[in-house]
Amino acid sequence: MCIRDRKKIRGFCHLYIGQEAIPVGMENILNKEDAIVTGYRDHGWYVTRGGKPNHVFAEMFGKQGGCSKGKGGSMHMYTVENNFYGGNGIVGAQVSIGAGLAWKHAYTNGAEKPKNVACTFYGDGAANQGQIFESMNMAALWKIPCIFVCENNQFGMGTSKKRASYDSEFYRRGGYIPGIKVDGMDLLAVQEATRWAKEYCLEGNGPIVMEMDSYRYMGHSMSDPDSAYRSRTDIQTVRNERDCVQKVKKLMLELGFIDEAGFKDMERTIKKEIDAELAIAEAQENTPMKELVTDIVVGEQYPIRSCQGTVFFDEKKLSAQ
């Protein structure tokens, strides 16, 4: 929060606070050969896929060492070596990509006994997008090992799910595809539901839908005051009753795995680690101008159509800047 306030992060920034149990619980079951693709609330997934926090900071700061060279920003985290394909800015568009990633597993190893799955994530706000149902239909026809995960955090931007969706039981939306509803703020519930869903897909049954019932504590993005559609009391009630971090902490204390002093030591250690990662990111160089036209087309000159006509960017000249 303070980093944003100091204007080190520009543009959109969609925080994942409140939904952390979903990537952590699922990653306890998934492996790095299982593909992940999500929307723009992607920071948590980048880290659980093996990315370092300094890569996240650097990307949001527009630094060269960011996971997308500082060009993608908050919404476009990406690490292909760990099968994490973003970080996608268009609402719901990533679902079709996820079905394609899952189809690769079916195509490579056979739909009857695939070795891996792909998980494609979308929110309750995207749940009415047509491409989701097109992707589900194709996945069902070809028995693609795809786990369609609806992260239901109760609001699509500032609109409650009850105002936006006639049927807000999103796990039933697949119709011909079975679905399960999971407490998305309970790490162990997420873990065991994922175990079952992955086994279902790997047995050659085709796709499945998971609805992760969760809640986001922050606004849709950092620029969203979120006071027009819910109250601070609403948010605090969820924190008190369902917070995923506090649930795990309470369980660990009850089972004697750790005591309060141990938790305080852990928190201090984590804070030092994050501060060190932040310092690494802040010390990096800004992404240079030459990166403006890389990773787009091949060649030395790049024609850019603009209101002033066609402008040619010369890679050699940009490289010298």
Side-chain angles (χ1 to χ4, degrees), residues 34-94:
D34 298 317
I36 298 289
V37 63
T38 188
Y40 39 71
R41 214 174 293 278
D42 57 349
H43 315 130
W45 274 109
Y46 179 79
V47 174
T48 60
R49 281 274 102 177
K52 294 182 178 180
N54 76 76
H55 298 162
V56 176
F57 286 130
E59 187 61 36
M60 293 194 288
F61 296 164
K63 302 283 190 176
Q64 181 71 45
C67 57
S68 297
K69 301 181 182 179
K71 299 188 289 185
S74 174
M75 295 196 285
H76 299 288
M77 306 287 163
Y78 184 87
T79 172
V80 68
E81 58 268 25
N82 291 333
N83 278 307
F84 178 59
Y85 297 92
N88 292 268
I90 305 302
V91 175
Q94 70 278 2

Short mmCIF file of all heavy atoms in Angstrom, two decimals, residues 34-94:
data_model
loop_
_atom_site.label_atom_id
_atom_site.label_comp_id
_atom_site.label_asym_id
_atom_site.label_seq_id
_atom_site.Cartn_x
_atom_site.Cartn_y
_atom_site.Cartn_z
N ASP A 34 1.78 -28.86 -14.53
CA ASP A 34 0.38 -28.44 -14.67
C ASP A 34 0.38 -26.95 -15.01
O ASP A 34 1.04 -26.16 -14.34
CB ASP A 34 -0.40 -28.68 -13.37
CG ASP A 34 -0.46 -30.13 -12.99
OD1 ASP A 34 -0.69 -30.97 -13.88
OD2 ASP A 34 -0.28 -30.45 -11.79
N ALA A 35 -0.35 -26.57 -16.03
CA ALA A 35 -0.34 -25.18 -16.49
C ALA A 35 -1.36 -24.33 -15.73
O ALA A 35 -2.42 -24.82 -15.32
CB ALA A 35 -0.64 -25.13 -17.99
N ILE A 36 -1.02 -23.07 -15.56
CA ILE A 36 -1.90 -22.09 -14.89
C ILE A 36 -2.04 -20.87 -15.77
O ILE A 36 -1.06 -20.35 -16.31
CB ILE A 36 -1.30 -21.65 -13.53
CG1 ILE A 36 -1.18 -22.82 -12.56
CG2 ILE A 36 -2.15 -20.52 -12.92
CD1 ILE A 36 -2.48 -23.34 -12.02
N VAL A 37 -3.27 -20.38 -15.93
CA VAL A 37 -3.49 -19.09 -16.57
C VAL A 37 -4.62 -18.40 -15.81
O VAL A 37 -5.60 -19.03 -15.40
CB VAL A 37 -3.83 -19.24 -18.07
CG1 VAL A 37 -5.13 -20.01 -18.28
CG2 VAL A 37 -3.88 -17.89 -18.76
N THR A 38 -4.45 -17.11 -15.56
CA THR A 38 -5.44 -16.38 -14.76
C THR A 38 -5.66 -14.99 -15.34
O THR A 38 -5.13 -14.64 -16.40
CB THR A 38 -4.98 -16.31 -13.29
OG1 THR A 38 -6.02 -15.75 -12.48
CG2 THR A 38 -3.72 -15.46 -13.13
N GLY A 39 -6.45 -14.20 -14.63
CA GLY A 39 -6.73 -12.84 -15.06
C GLY A 39 -5.67 -11.88 -14.54
O GLY A 39 -4.51 -12.24 -14.36
N TYR A 40 -6.09 -10.66 -14.26
CA TYR A 40 -5.10 -9.65 -13.88
C TYR A 40 -4.84 -9.57 -12.38
O TYR A 40 -4.00 -8.82 -11.94
CB TYR A 40 -5.55 -8.27 -14.39
CG TYR A 40 -7.03 -8.00 -14.28
CD1 TYR A 40 -7.63 -7.79 -13.05
CD2 TYR A 40 -7.83 -7.96 -15.42
CE1 TYR A 40 -8.99 -7.55 -12.95
CE2 TYR A 40 -9.18 -7.73 -15.34
CZ TYR A 40 -9.76 -7.52 -14.10
OH TYR A 40 -11.11 -7.28 -14.00
N ARG A 41 -5.52 -10.38 -11.57
CA ARG A 41 -5.22 -10.44 -10.13
C ARG A 41 -4.22 -11.59 -9.94
O ARG A 41 -4.54 -12.65 -9.41
CB ARG A 41 -6.52 -10.67 -9.35
CG ARG A 41 -6.57 -9.99 -8.01
CD ARG A 41 -7.95 -10.15 -7.36
NE ARG A 41 -9.00 -9.45 -8.08
CZ ARG A 41 -9.27 -8.15 -7.96
NH1 ARG A 41 -8.55 -7.42 -7.12
NH2 ARG A 41 -10.24 -7.58 -8.65
N ASP A 42 -2.99 -11.37 -10.40
CA ASP A 42 -2.08 -12.48 -10.67
C ASP A 42 -0.82 -12.55 -9.82
O ASP A 42 -0.02 -13.47 -9.96
CB ASP A 42 -1.66 -12.41 -12.15
CG ASP A 42 -1.01 -11.08 -12.52
OD1 ASP A 42 -1.06 -10.13 -11.72
OD2 ASP A 42 -0.48 -10.98 -13.65
N HIS A 43 -0.62 -11.58 -8.90
CA HIS A 43 0.65 -11.53 -8.16
C HIS A 43 0.88 -12.78 -7.32
O HIS A 43 1.99 -13.33 -7.28
CB HIS A 43 0.69 -10.30 -7.25
CG HIS A 43 0.21 -9.05 -7.90
ND1 HIS A 43 -0.72 -8.21 -7.34
CD2 HIS A 43 0.51 -8.51 -9.11
CE1 HIS A 43 -0.95 -7.19 -8.15
NE2 HIS A 43 -0.23 -7.36 -9.24
N GLY A 44 -0.18 -13.23 -6.62
CA GLY A 44 -0.04 -14.41 -5.77
C GLY A 44 0.33 -15.65 -6.56
O GLY A 44 1.19 -16.44 -6.14
N TRP A 45 -0.28 -15.80 -7.73
CA TRP A 45 0.01 -16.97 -8.55
C TRP A 45 1.44 -16.94 -9.08
O TRP A 45 2.09 -17.98 -9.18
CB TRP A 45 -0.99 -17.07 -9.71
CG TRP A 45 -2.23 -17.79 -9.31
CD1 TRP A 45 -3.48 -17.25 -9.13
CD2 TRP A 45 -2.35 -19.19 -9.01
NE1 TRP A 45 -4.36 -18.24 -8.73
CE2 TRP A 45 -3.69 -19.43 -8.66
CE3 TRP A 45 -1.45 -20.24 -9.00
CZ2 TRP A 45 -4.16 -20.69 -8.30
CZ3 TRP A 45 -1.91 -21.51 -8.66
CH2 TRP A 45 -3.25 -21.72 -8.31
N TYR A 46 1.93 -15.77 -9.42
CA TYR A 46 3.31 -15.69 -9.91
C TYR A 46 4.28 -16.19 -8.85
O TYR A 46 5.22 -16.95 -9.15
CB TYR A 46 3.67 -14.26 -10.31
CG TYR A 46 5.09 -14.14 -10.81
CD1 TYR A 46 5.43 -14.53 -12.10
CD2 TYR A 46 6.11 -13.71 -9.96
CE1 TYR A 46 6.74 -14.46 -12.56
CE2 TYR A 46 7.42 -13.65 -10.40
CZ TYR A 46 7.73 -14.02 -11.69
OH TYR A 46 9.02 -13.98 -12.13
N VAL A 47 4.06 -15.81 -7.61
CA VAL A 47 4.96 -16.22 -6.53
C VAL A 47 4.83 -17.71 -6.22
O VAL A 47 5.84 -18.41 -6.07
CB VAL A 47 4.70 -15.37 -5.26
CG1 VAL A 47 5.54 -15.89 -4.09
CG2 VAL A 47 5.04 -13.91 -5.51
N THR A 48 3.60 -18.23 -6.15
CA THR A 48 3.45 -19.65 -5.85
C THR A 48 3.94 -20.53 -7.00
O THR A 48 4.29 -21.70 -6.78
CB THR A 48 1.98 -20.03 -5.54
OG1 THR A 48 1.15 -19.72 -6.68
CG2 THR A 48 1.47 -19.29 -4.32
N ARG A 49 4.03 -19.98 -8.19
CA ARG A 49 4.58 -20.73 -9.32
C ARG A 49 6.12 -20.74 -9.30
O ARG A 49 6.75 -21.30 -10.19
CB ARG A 49 4.11 -20.13 -10.63
CG ARG A 49 2.72 -20.51 -11.05
CD ARG A 49 2.67 -21.83 -11.82
NE ARG A 49 2.23 -22.96 -11.05
CZ ARG A 49 2.06 -24.17 -11.56
NH1 ARG A 49 2.31 -24.41 -12.84
NH2 ARG A 49 1.66 -25.15 -10.80
N GLY A 50 6.71 -20.10 -8.31
CA GLY A 50 8.16 -20.12 -8.18
C GLY A 50 8.84 -18.79 -8.46
O GLY A 50 10.07 -18.69 -8.38
N GLY A 51 8.06 -17.77 -8.79
CA GLY A 51 8.65 -16.45 -9.05
C GLY A 51 9.08 -15.76 -7.76
O GLY A 51 8.56 -16.05 -6.68
N LYS A 52 10.03 -14.86 -7.87
CA LYS A 52 10.53 -14.14 -6.70
C LYS A 52 9.79 -12.82 -6.51
O LYS A 52 9.43 -12.16 -7.49
CB LYS A 52 12.03 -13.88 -6.84
CG LYS A 52 12.87 -15.15 -6.83
CD LYS A 52 14.36 -14.82 -6.91
CE LYS A 52 15.20 -16.08 -6.85
NZ LYS A 52 16.65 -15.77 -6.92
N PRO A 53 9.59 -12.40 -5.26
CA PRO A 53 8.92 -11.11 -5.03
C PRO A 53 9.60 -9.94 -5.70
O PRO A 53 8.92 -9.00 -6.15
CB PRO A 53 8.96 -10.98 -3.50
CG PRO A 53 8.95 -12.39 -3.00
CD PRO A 53 9.80 -13.14 -3.99
N ASN A 54 10.94 -9.97 -5.82
CA ASN A 54 11.60 -8.82 -6.46
C ASN A 54 11.23 -8.72 -7.93
O ASN A 54 11.23 -7.64 -8.50
CB ASN A 54 13.12 -8.87 -6.25
CG ASN A 54 13.84 -9.87 -7.13
OD1 ASN A 54 14.03 -9.64 -8.31
ND2 ASN A 54 14.25 -10.99 -6.55
N HIS A 55 10.89 -9.86 -8.56
CA HIS A 55 10.42 -9.82 -9.95
C HIS A 55 9.07 -9.11 -10.04
O HIS A 55 8.79 -8.39 -11.00
CB HIS A 55 10.27 -11.23 -10.51
CG HIS A 55 11.56 -12.00 -10.55
ND1 HIS A 55 11.61 -13.37 -10.68
CD2 HIS A 55 12.86 -11.57 -10.51
CE1 HIS A 55 12.87 -13.77 -10.69
NE2 HIS A 55 13.64 -12.70 -10.58
N VAL A 56 8.23 -9.35 -9.03
CA VAL A 56 6.90 -8.72 -8.99
C VAL A 56 7.06 -7.22 -8.77
O VAL A 56 6.47 -6.40 -9.50
CB VAL A 56 6.04 -9.33 -7.87
CG1 VAL A 56 4.70 -8.60 -7.77
CG2 VAL A 56 5.80 -10.82 -8.12
N PHE A 57 7.85 -6.83 -7.78
CA PHE A 57 8.09 -5.41 -7.51
C PHE A 57 8.65 -4.72 -8.75
O PHE A 57 8.18 -3.66 -9.16
CB PHE A 57 9.06 -5.24 -6.34
CG PHE A 57 8.50 -5.53 -4.99
CD1 PHE A 57 9.16 -6.38 -4.12
CD2 PHE A 57 7.31 -4.96 -4.57
CE1 PHE A 57 8.65 -6.66 -2.86
CE2 PHE A 57 6.79 -5.22 -3.32
CZ PHE A 57 7.47 -6.07 -2.45
N ALA A 58 9.69 -5.33 -9.34
CA ALA A 58 10.35 -4.71 -10.48
C ALA A 58 9.39 -4.54 -11.65
O ALA A 58 9.43 -3.52 -12.35
CB ALA A 58 11.56 -5.54 -10.90
N GLU A 59 8.54 -5.51 -11.87
CA GLU A 59 7.58 -5.42 -12.96
C GLU A 59 6.62 -4.25 -12.74
O GLU A 59 6.32 -3.48 -13.66
CB GLU A 59 6.81 -6.72 -13.11
CG GLU A 59 5.90 -6.78 -14.32
CD GLU A 59 6.67 -6.64 -15.62
OE1 GLU A 59 7.81 -7.15 -15.72
OE2 GLU A 59 6.13 -6.01 -16.55
N MET A 60 6.14 -4.10 -11.52
CA MET A 60 5.20 -3.01 -11.23
C MET A 60 5.87 -1.65 -11.21
O MET A 60 5.23 -0.63 -11.42
CB MET A 60 4.48 -3.30 -9.91
CG MET A 60 3.56 -4.50 -9.98
SD MET A 60 2.39 -4.64 -8.61
CE MET A 60 3.47 -5.12 -7.29
N PHE A 61 7.19 -1.64 -10.99
CA PHE A 61 7.94 -0.38 -11.00
C PHE A 61 8.39 0.01 -12.41
O PHE A 61 8.95 1.08 -12.61
CB PHE A 61 9.18 -0.48 -10.11
CG PHE A 61 8.91 -0.69 -8.65
CD1 PHE A 61 9.90 -1.13 -7.80
CD2 PHE A 61 7.65 -0.45 -8.11
CE1 PHE A 61 9.66 -1.31 -6.45
CE2 PHE A 61 7.39 -0.65 -6.77
CZ PHE A 61 8.41 -1.09 -5.93
N GLY A 62 8.20 -0.89 -13.39
CA GLY A 62 8.69 -0.63 -14.74
C GLY A 62 10.20 -0.79 -14.85
O GLY A 62 10.86 -0.07 -15.60
N LYS A 63 10.74 -1.78 -14.14
CA LYS A 63 12.17 -2.02 -14.13
C LYS A 63 12.53 -3.18 -15.07
O LYS A 63 11.74 -4.09 -15.30
CB LYS A 63 12.64 -2.36 -12.71
CG LYS A 63 12.35 -1.28 -11.67
CD LYS A 63 13.31 -0.12 -11.78
CE LYS A 63 13.17 0.84 -10.60
NZ LYS A 63 14.16 1.93 -10.64
N GLN A 64 13.78 -3.15 -15.55
CA GLN A 64 14.25 -4.15 -16.50
C GLN A 64 14.19 -5.56 -15.94
O GLN A 64 13.97 -6.53 -16.66
CB GLN A 64 15.69 -3.81 -16.90
CG GLN A 64 16.31 -4.78 -17.91
CD GLN A 64 15.71 -4.65 -19.30
OE1 GLN A 64 15.54 -3.56 -19.78
NE2 GLN A 64 15.41 -5.76 -19.93
N GLY A 65 14.37 -5.71 -14.63
CA GLY A 65 14.40 -7.04 -14.01
C GLY A 65 13.04 -7.61 -13.69
O GLY A 65 12.94 -8.67 -13.06
N GLY A 66 11.98 -6.95 -14.13
CA GLY A 66 10.65 -7.48 -13.90
C GLY A 66 10.40 -8.75 -14.69
O GLY A 66 11.10 -9.02 -15.68
N CYS A 67 9.42 -9.54 -14.28
CA CYS A 67 9.19 -10.83 -14.93
C CYS A 67 8.77 -10.67 -16.39
O CYS A 67 8.90 -11.61 -17.17
CB CYS A 67 8.14 -11.62 -14.15
SG CYS A 67 6.56 -10.80 -13.94
N SER A 68 8.27 -9.51 -16.78
CA SER A 68 7.96 -9.23 -18.18
C SER A 68 8.77 -8.02 -18.68
O SER A 68 8.31 -7.22 -19.48
CB SER A 68 6.46 -8.97 -18.37
OG SER A 68 5.71 -10.11 -18.03
N LYS A 69 9.99 -7.89 -18.12
CA LYS A 69 10.93 -6.82 -18.48
C LYS A 69 10.38 -5.43 -18.15
O LYS A 69 10.79 -4.44 -18.76
CB LYS A 69 11.30 -6.89 -19.96
CG LYS A 69 11.96 -8.18 -20.38
CD LYS A 69 12.33 -8.13 -21.86
CE LYS A 69 12.94 -9.43 -22.33
NZ LYS A 69 13.27 -9.39 -23.77
N GLY A 70 9.43 -5.36 -17.24
CA GLY A 70 8.89 -4.06 -16.86
C GLY A 70 7.87 -3.51 -17.83
O GLY A 70 7.39 -2.39 -17.68
N LYS A 71 7.50 -4.30 -18.84
CA LYS A 71 6.59 -3.81 -19.88
C LYS A 71 5.14 -4.23 -19.65
O LYS A 71 4.24 -3.67 -20.25
CB LYS A 71 7.05 -4.32 -21.25
CG LYS A 71 8.43 -3.85 -21.65
CD LYS A 71 8.76 -4.21 -23.09
CE LYS A 71 9.00 -5.70 -23.26
NZ LYS A 71 9.44 -6.02 -24.64
N GLY A 72 4.93 -5.22 -18.82
CA GLY A 72 3.57 -5.73 -18.61
C GLY A 72 2.86 -5.09 -17.44
O GLY A 72 1.65 -4.94 -17.42
N GLY A 73 3.64 -4.70 -16.41
CA GLY A 73 3.04 -4.12 -15.23
C GLY A 73 2.28 -5.13 -14.40
O GLY A 73 2.44 -6.35 -14.55
N SER A 74 1.43 -4.62 -13.55
CA SER A 74 0.71 -5.44 -12.57
C SER A 74 -0.11 -6.55 -13.20
O SER A 74 -0.24 -7.64 -12.64
CB SER A 74 -0.20 -4.54 -11.73
OG SER A 74 -1.01 -5.30 -10.88
N MET A 75 -0.67 -6.32 -14.37
CA MET A 75 -1.63 -7.26 -14.94
C MET A 75 -1.01 -8.37 -15.79
O MET A 75 -1.72 -9.25 -16.26
CB MET A 75 -2.67 -6.51 -15.79
CG MET A 75 -3.54 -5.58 -14.98
SD MET A 75 -5.02 -5.06 -15.86
CE MET A 75 -4.33 -3.90 -17.03
N HIS A 76 0.30 -8.32 -16.00
CA HIS A 76 0.90 -9.27 -16.94
C HIS A 76 2.15 -9.95 -16.38
O HIS A 76 3.22 -9.87 -16.95
CB HIS A 76 1.21 -8.56 -18.26
CG HIS A 76 0.00 -8.00 -18.93
ND1 HIS A 76 -0.94 -8.79 -19.54
CD2 HIS A 76 -0.45 -6.72 -19.04
CE1 HIS A 76 -1.92 -8.03 -20.03
NE2 HIS A 76 -1.64 -6.77 -19.72
N MET A 77 1.98 -10.63 -15.25
CA MET A 77 3.04 -11.48 -14.72
C MET A 77 3.08 -12.75 -15.56
O MET A 77 2.05 -13.23 -16.03
CB MET A 77 2.76 -11.83 -13.26
CG MET A 77 2.53 -10.64 -12.35
SD MET A 77 4.07 -9.77 -12.01
CE MET A 77 3.45 -8.20 -11.40
N TYR A 78 4.28 -13.32 -15.71
CA TYR A 78 4.42 -14.43 -16.68
C TYR A 78 5.72 -15.16 -16.41
O TYR A 78 6.75 -14.55 -16.20
CB TYR A 78 4.44 -13.83 -18.09
CG TYR A 78 4.47 -14.81 -19.23
CD1 TYR A 78 3.29 -15.33 -19.75
CD2 TYR A 78 5.67 -15.19 -19.81
CE1 TYR A 78 3.31 -16.20 -20.82
CE2 TYR A 78 5.70 -16.08 -20.88
CZ TYR A 78 4.51 -16.58 -21.39
OH TYR A 78 4.53 -17.44 -22.44
N THR A 79 5.67 -16.50 -16.39
CA THR A 79 6.89 -17.30 -16.29
C THR A 79 6.67 -18.63 -17.00
O THR A 79 6.12 -19.57 -16.43
CB THR A 79 7.34 -17.49 -14.82
OG1 THR A 79 8.43 -18.42 -14.78
CG2 THR A 79 6.22 -17.99 -13.94
N VAL A 80 7.09 -18.71 -18.23
CA VAL A 80 6.80 -19.88 -19.06
C VAL A 80 7.51 -21.12 -18.55
O VAL A 80 7.00 -22.24 -18.68
CB VAL A 80 7.15 -19.60 -20.53
CG1 VAL A 80 8.65 -19.46 -20.72
CG2 VAL A 80 6.61 -20.69 -21.44
N GLU A 81 8.70 -20.95 -17.93
CA GLU A 81 9.44 -22.13 -17.48
C GLU A 81 8.70 -22.88 -16.37
O GLU A 81 8.94 -24.08 -16.17
CB GLU A 81 10.85 -21.75 -16.99
CG GLU A 81 10.89 -20.73 -15.88
CD GLU A 81 11.00 -19.30 -16.38
OE1 GLU A 81 10.58 -19.05 -17.54
OE2 GLU A 81 11.49 -18.44 -15.63
N ASN A 82 7.81 -22.21 -15.67
CA ASN A 82 7.00 -22.87 -14.64
C ASN A 82 5.55 -23.02 -15.06
O ASN A 82 4.66 -23.20 -14.22
CB ASN A 82 7.09 -22.10 -13.31
CG ASN A 82 8.47 -22.20 -12.68
OD1 ASN A 82 9.19 -23.16 -12.90
ND2 ASN A 82 8.84 -21.19 -11.91
N ASN A 83 5.32 -22.89 -16.36
CA ASN A 83 3.97 -23.07 -16.92
C ASN A 83 2.94 -22.12 -16.31
O ASN A 83 1.80 -22.51 -16.04
CB ASN A 83 3.51 -24.52 -16.77
CG ASN A 83 4.07 -25.41 -17.87
OD1 ASN A 83 3.92 -25.11 -19.05
ND2 ASN A 83 4.73 -26.48 -17.49
N PHE A 84 3.36 -20.87 -16.12
CA PHE A 84 2.42 -19.83 -15.70
C PHE A 84 2.29 -18.84 -16.85
O PHE A 84 3.26 -18.16 -17.21
CB PHE A 84 2.90 -19.12 -14.44
CG PHE A 84 1.97 -18.01 -14.00
CD1 PHE A 84 0.65 -18.27 -13.70
CD2 PHE A 84 2.44 -16.71 -13.88
CE1 PHE A 84 -0.20 -17.25 -13.30
CE2 PHE A 84 1.60 -15.69 -13.48
CZ PHE A 84 0.28 -15.96 -13.20
N TYR A 85 1.09 -18.75 -17.42
CA TYR A 85 0.87 -17.99 -18.65
C TYR A 85 0.08 -16.71 -18.42
O TYR A 85 -0.68 -16.28 -19.28
CB TYR A 85 0.19 -18.89 -19.68
CG TYR A 85 1.04 -20.07 -20.05
CD1 TYR A 85 0.93 -21.29 -19.38
CD2 TYR A 85 2.01 -19.96 -21.05
CE1 TYR A 85 1.74 -22.37 -19.70
CE2 TYR A 85 2.83 -21.03 -21.38
CZ TYR A 85 2.69 -22.22 -20.70
OH TYR A 85 3.51 -23.28 -21.01
N GLY A 86 0.28 -16.10 -17.28
CA GLY A 86 -0.34 -14.79 -17.04
C GLY A 86 -1.57 -14.90 -16.19
O GLY A 86 -2.14 -15.94 -16.07
N GLY A 87 -1.84 -13.72 -15.72
CA GLY A 87 -1.69 -12.33 -16.04
C GLY A 87 -2.29 -11.94 -17.39
O GLY A 87 -1.53 -11.66 -18.30
N ASN A 88 -3.66 -11.87 -17.52
CA ASN A 88 -4.28 -11.42 -18.77
C ASN A 88 -5.28 -10.30 -18.47
O ASN A 88 -6.08 -10.41 -17.54
CB ASN A 88 -4.99 -12.58 -19.46
CG ASN A 88 -4.01 -13.62 -19.97
OD1 ASN A 88 -3.56 -13.58 -21.09
ND2 ASN A 88 -3.66 -14.57 -19.09
N GLY A 89 -5.22 -9.25 -19.27
CA GLY A 89 -6.00 -8.05 -18.97
C GLY A 89 -7.42 -8.02 -19.48
O GLY A 89 -8.23 -7.22 -19.02
N ILE A 90 -7.76 -8.89 -20.44
CA ILE A 90 -9.10 -8.87 -21.01
C ILE A 90 -9.99 -9.84 -20.23
O ILE A 90 -9.68 -11.03 -20.11
CB ILE A 90 -9.08 -9.27 -22.50
CG1 ILE A 90 -8.12 -8.36 -23.28
CG2 ILE A 90 -10.48 -9.21 -23.10
CD1 ILE A 90 -8.45 -6.88 -23.20
N VAL A 91 -11.08 -9.34 -19.70
CA VAL A 91 -11.93 -10.12 -18.81
C VAL A 91 -12.43 -11.41 -19.46
O VAL A 91 -13.11 -11.38 -20.49
CB VAL A 91 -13.14 -9.27 -18.35
CG1 VAL A 91 -14.11 -10.11 -17.51
CG2 VAL A 91 -12.66 -8.06 -17.55
N GLY A 92 -12.06 -12.54 -18.88
CA GLY A 92 -12.52 -13.84 -19.34
C GLY A 92 -11.76 -14.44 -20.51
O GLY A 92 -11.91 -15.63 -20.80
N ALA A 93 -10.93 -13.65 -21.18
CA ALA A 93 -10.26 -14.14 -22.39
C ALA A 93 -9.28 -15.27 -22.09
O ALA A 93 -9.02 -16.11 -22.95
CB ALA A 93 -9.52 -12.99 -23.09
N GLN A 94 -8.75 -15.29 -20.87
CA GLN A 94 -7.75 -16.31 -20.52
C GLN A 94 -8.34 -17.71 -20.41
O GLN A 94 -7.61 -18.71 -20.46
CB GLN A 94 -7.07 -15.95 -19.19
CG GLN A 94 -7.95 -16.07 -17.96
CD GLN A 94 -8.83 -14.86 -17.72
OE1 GLN A 94 -8.83 -13.93 -18.52
NE2 GLN A 94 -9.57 -14.85 -16.62
#
